[in-house]
Amino acid sequence: MKVFFIRFKKLIILLLITINTQSIYSQNNIVVNNVPISADSTVTVTLRYCSNGGYYIINNILDLRALSILVFNDNTSRYSANKITYNKTFKLTQDIVFSSCDNVYDFDSNGIYESNFLPIGGWIYDTVINCTFPSNVAVPVYDTVVHFKNSGLAFFAGTFDGNGHTISGLKIYNSYEGTETTNNFIGLFGFLKGLWYNKAVVRNLGLNYIELQGHQYVGGVSGYGIHANIENCYVNTSNIKGYRIVGGIIGIISNDMELNSSYVKNSNIEGQDEIVGGLCGENHSSNEDTTITESPLTGNHRYAYFYSKINKSYVNHTIVSGSLDVG
C-alpha cells in the first residue's frame, strides 16, 4: 500500500508539472515561415509566448532571425499601432553567439555569404510592399518631416528586453559606397519606431564583437529611431563602419527618442564622410508645434518640441573617425 501511494504521489506531481508547463505557453505563439538556416535552406520557427511573463521568448539565433523576418513580412499600415510587434515584448532568455558557420546572407551580391543577420526593420530587401495608411488615420507630420513617406520601410514597434544577456559575433556587411536604399538602416535593429505615447524600446542588452557596415543610418543597437528608447545597453569590442550618419549605439536619434545609461567601449566607429559619433551620429529634434490625429486616440493632440535626449551614457577606449561633424 505504501508503494502504491508513493507511485500515486509521483504521478500527481508529474501531472501538475505537465499542466504547469503547458500553461506557460499560450495559444498566442507566433509562427514565422522561411527563416534561413543556411544560404539555401529555410525553416518554420515558432516564437513562443510566455503567458506568465507576458513576453515572447528569444532563445537562439533562429528565434532572433524569426523576429527580423516577422518585421519585414509585416505589410500592414506604416502606422505603428497597427504593427504586429506594437505593444508586444520580446525577451532574450540566454546569450546568443554567432560564428562564421552562421553566415547566410550576401547583401552586396558579390557571391560571398558574409553576413549572419538581417536587421530587424529598415528597407525591405528583395520585394517592395506598398505601405499605406488606413483612411481614418492622418499621416503623422513627423513622418513627413524626416522624409519617410516611401514604400518599403519596415520597423520594430515593440519592446526588446535583453534581460541582461549578450549577443556576440553579429555581422551585417553591406556596401557603404553606393546610395541604394537597401544599404541604409544597419544595426541589430535597422529601424525603431514607436508612438509618442507608447515608445519602441530596446533595453538591458549587450553587444560584443559585432561587425557592421552600411551606407547611412548605421549603429550597433539601431540604425534609426523615432519615438523610441534605448536603455542600459552597450557595444563592446566592435567595428561599425558607414559612409555617413554612423554611431556606436545608434546612427540617428530623432523626434522624442532617448538614449539612457548606455556605453560604447574598445570599439572602432568609422564614417567615410560626415556625421559620426561615439554614441550616436546625429541627434535630431523637431522644433515646431504639430497637430496630429492618430488612431486609436480621438481628436487632435497638440504637442511641441519633440526633444531627443542622451542621458548618463559614455564612450571609452574607442576610436571615432570621419571627415566632418565628428564627435
Side-chain angles (χ1 to χ4, degrees), residues 14-39:
L14 180 61
L15 180 61
L16 288 174
I17 291 174
T18 302
I19 293 173
N20 184 61
T21 301
Q22 290 177 344
S23 67
I24 291 176
Y25 305 112
S26 74
Q27 298 301 313
N28 294 323
N29 296 341
I30 299 176
V31 177
V32 184
N33 298 317
N34 300 318
V35 179
I37 57 173
S38 67

Side-chain angles (χ1 to χ4, degrees), residues 266-277:
N266 303 324
S267 297
N268 180 56
I269 315 300
E270 179 183 351
Q272 295 296 301
D273 191 27
E274 60 177 356
I275 314 177
V276 187

Side-chain angles (χ1 to χ4, degrees), residues 1 15 34 53 60 100 132 201 203 206 217-218 252 268 307 313:
M1 181 65 70
L15 180 61
N34 300 318
N60 50 47
S100 59
T132 58
V201 177
R203 64 189 180 209
Y217 313 137
V218 183
I252 178 173
N268 180 56
Y307 289 122
S313 300

